[in-house]
Amino acid sequence: MYRYDEFDHQFVRERTAQFRDQAERRLRGELTEDEFRPLRLMNGLYLQLHAYMLRVAIPYGTLSGRQMRQLAMIADKYDKGYGHFTTRQNIQYNWIKLEETADILGHLADVEMHAIQTSGNCIRNVTTDHWAGAAADEIADPRPVGELLRQWSSLHPEFSYLPRKFKIAVTGAPHDRAAVKVHDIGLRLHRNAEGKVGWEVIVGGGQGRTPMIGVTVRDFLPEHELIAYLEAIMRVYNLYGRRDNKYKARIKILVHELGAERFKAEVEAEYARKPQASTEVEERELARIAAYFAPPPFERLPRWSAAFEEARLAQPDFARWARNNLAAHKVDGYTIVNISLKPEGGIPGDATGDQMRLMAQLAETYSHDELRVSHAQNIVLPHVKKDDVFAVWQALDAAALATPNYGLAGDIIACPGLDYCALATARSIPVAQSISRKFADIGRQEEIGQIKINISGCINACGHHHVGHIGILGLDKKGEEFYQITLGGSSAEHSSIGTILGPGFAGHEVADAIDKILETYLKIREPGEEFIAAYRRVGPKPFKEALYAAA
Amino acid sequence: MTTTEKGQIVTANRLRDGIAVFLTRSGEWSEAIDDAVLALEPEAAAGLEQRARLAEQACLVTGSYLVDAERRAGQVRAAHIRERMRALGPTVRPDLGKQAEGKANSFAAPEGV
Amino acid sequence: MPLLKNNALVSDTWLVLGNDDVLPATGDVIVPFARLLRDFESLSRRSGKLGVVFANVDRAETLATFLPRLSAVVLHFSAFNDGRAYSLARQLREFGYRGEIRATGNVLPDQLQFMLQVGFDAFEIGDRFPLQVWQAASKQMSLAYQRGLFRRSAESEIWTERHTDAEPWLEQPHAG
Ligand code: SF4
C-alpha cells in the first residue's frame, strides 16, 4: 500500500489548515455562503437534508486496518456511530458539524487520508477495480497509476474550476470491474501483440441524465505519457466544455457535440502544442509509487486447503457463504473475501463503528492489513489464506457481516436518496430494503444467480441505475415518489445502458415488479444463462408482458 | 373537529452544524417544526423571508426558503415529503434525528414505501 | 483601481480603451482583442506599451503571433468558478509570453494561489477583502504536485523535489 512521505504529509496538513481558516471566516461572516460553498465542496463537505455530510476519499478504494479504525473513530466521535460506503469507493458521514470539520480532517491526515476533491467541479477520487492486486485475471495492478493520478489531480491549479465534476476510473484486468466506459475518462491496461503493456484511453462515458458509453481516443498510450496526455484532454474540456447548462456540462456532451473525431483532433493538437517536457520525473515517480504496491509476502501454499474443505462439509452456512462471497485469487492457497454490507432489510453500504473495527482487525490478522471498498458498496479482504477463511467467517457471522448474497439479488446498490440527500426526488433505501426482504430466501437468490439491481434517488444516478441489469430510478410525480424500471444495463466490459421498460411504479409496488421480472427470467432462461445474457437474447418483450399484462 | 390552517413556514440549515431548523414566532430558530410560525398570507410570508435573510447575514442559518405547510391541533406538517423528511430524520433510521429526540411528531411522517 | 502585484498594491497606469475610443498619443493602453486585430499596425507604431483584453471564449493560439509585441493580457472572470481563464493563462505562458497577465472581474482570495500558479501576476482585487487576507491567501500551500507551474520560487513541486537529480522540466518563463 502507498505510504505518505514528508511531502504528502505536509501537503495534507497545509490543506487542512487552509480549510480551518476558510471555515472560521465563514462562521465569522467574512465569507458568504456563495463564496464558501465551492471551498467546502472541494473539501468534501456538503449541506444535506439533516446536517452537513462529509465525504472522505478512499483513493482507489484501498485502506489499511489503521485507516479503517480511524474511520470508525470518526463515526463514533463526530457522527452517530456509522458511515455509508458509496458507489465511488468513498465513505460518507451524515451528521457532521461545520465547526468540527477541520478537526476531522486533521484526524484523517493523521492516518494519511483526506477529503480533498470528493466534491466540486474538479477531478474526483480516482476509482479502480476493488480486486486490484489480487484478482486472478489481472494483467497488472492499476493502483500505482491510481496514486499517480491522485497526486497529479490534487489541487490542480488549472483544473479546479471545470465546467462540471470529473471522474476517472482505472482498470488493469480484462474483466472490467471499474466501469471504465461510463466515466469521464476510463483507462484500461492491455497488452499489445509484442507483449508490451499500454493504456487504452476512453473519454466521454457517463451516467446521470444523459447516459453514454465513452469513446476510445488512444488505443495504446505508453504509461509515461499518461499525465501529459490527460492534461491535454482536461485542457480541451476546461476550455470548450459547456458552461451554460449544468446538465450539458459533462465532457460526454462535449465529445458528443463535437463528434469523436473532432474531439480527438482537438486533444491531439493540444498535446502536440504543449511544451514537451521530459517524462523522466513521471517515470521515476511512477516507479517510486509502484514499489509501495509490491505484492505482500505471500506464502507458498497448496491450492487446496484441507481446513477449508472440512469446514465446508461440516458447516452448510459457511459452505453457502464461501460459494457466493469468495473470488479467485492470483496466488494458490489464497482467496478474496467479499464482505456484503447488504444484510436482509438493511441499508446498503452502511457500517457501524464496531463493524468497521472488526473488519479492520480481520484485515490486520488475515489479509496483510488491507481492505478495499467496492463500488457495489461492499468491503473486500483481498488476501486471505484459504486456511483462515473459516475463522474469518465466524468472526463476520458474529458481527452480522456474513450475509451470503455477494453479487446476488440481495446485493443491491442504492444511493442515500431522499432519506439523506438534498438533491433526491425519491427515497432509495426503503425500496432496496423491500426488495431485499422479498428475496430473503438465499436459496432463491442462488437460483436466480448473478444479478445487479441498482437504485438511484434522482437522475444524478449515484446508484448507477443506468448500468444495473435492473435499474430503478426514483422520481417525483406531483409530490409522490414513483419509480422507473430499466433493464439491460451493464458496466462490465460489454457496457450497455438500460432501457426503460414502461410506466413507473409506486414505492410499495417495486419489489413485486422485480419479482415478476426475475420469475420471467427463470422461465425463459437457457441452462446456465445469466440474467443479462438472457435479456440480451430475448429483449424487453416478455418482461413487459409480465409487468404490464392487463390485470 | 379541529381546523386545519394552510400557509407557509420558513426553514433553513443552522450554519455551525447544518441541522434543519424552522423560524418561530419570536424570531428564533427551532429544530422542531411544530414551533414554526405559519404565515397565512403572502405578505406575512414575505415578512418571514425578510427575517430569515437577516438571520443569514448574522451567520445563524444558511439557505433559508419558504415551505408550504399546514397546522392542525398545534402540529405543523410540511406539504412535501422532502420537508417532512427534514422535520423528522431519515425514515430508514427512526432511532436517529429529530424523530428520536422528541422534536418531531408522527403527524409529520411521510408514508412508508 | 489599484492592482495586486507581488503581494503589494500598485497603481494601475494603463488606460483601458474600447473599440472606438480615441487613441492617445502617449501612454500605455489596453484594447479589446477585436481592436488589436483591426488596428495592429497603428497600435504597434506607438511608443507606449500595448495590452489586450482577451475573452475566455477566444482561442489562445489566435493571440500567439501578437504576443511578442504585448506587455499585458487581461483575462476577465465573469464568475470566479468559470475556470477557462486558468487554461488560457497557462497556454500563454507556455507560448513563452512573459508580460503581465491580469485577472479582472470576480477575483477572490481563495482562488489567488491557483491563479498565480497558472501564470497570472496582476489582480484587480476591489475592496471586498482586506489586503492581509490576500497576502495570506497567496501562500497557504507551500507545495504542489503538478509540474511546470509558474511560481517555482514560491511553491515546491513535489515530484521535482523527490527526483531532484532527474532532468529538469523544460525551462519556463517566470511571471512578473
Ligand atoms: S442519485 Fe440523486 S438522490 Fe441519490 S445520492 Fe445521487 S444526488 Fe442524491
Side-chain angles (χ1 to χ4, degrees), chain B residues 18-88:
Chain B
I19 299 291
V21 286
F22 305 90
L23 184 61
T24 70
R25 185 167 297 282
S26 60
E28 307 280 292
W29 293 87
S30 169
E31 293 183 30
I33 192 169
D34 287 348
D35 295 341
V37 52
L38 186 74
L40 301 175
E41 307 293 334
E43 301 79 61
L48 293 186
E49 267 188 305
Q50 180 56 28
R51 263 154 69 185
R53 265 196 296 278
L54 292 177
E56 286 188 24
Q57 279 159 21
C59 298
L60 293 173
V61 299
T62 184
S64 66
Y65 55 97
L66 283 169
V67 167
D68 291 338
E70 62 186 44
R71 183 167 51 210
R72 191 163 38 143
Q75 298 192 329
V76 178
R77 172 187 167 103
H80 197 275
I81 175 176
R82 179 182 194 274
E83 296 309 322
R84 304 214 291 275
M85 202 72 72
R86 289 177 74 245
L88 234 84

Side-chain angles (χ1 to χ4, degrees), chain A residues 415-417 421 423-424 456-458 460-463:
Chain A
C415 78
C421 176
L423 300 172
S456 302
C458 81
N460 286 329
C462 303

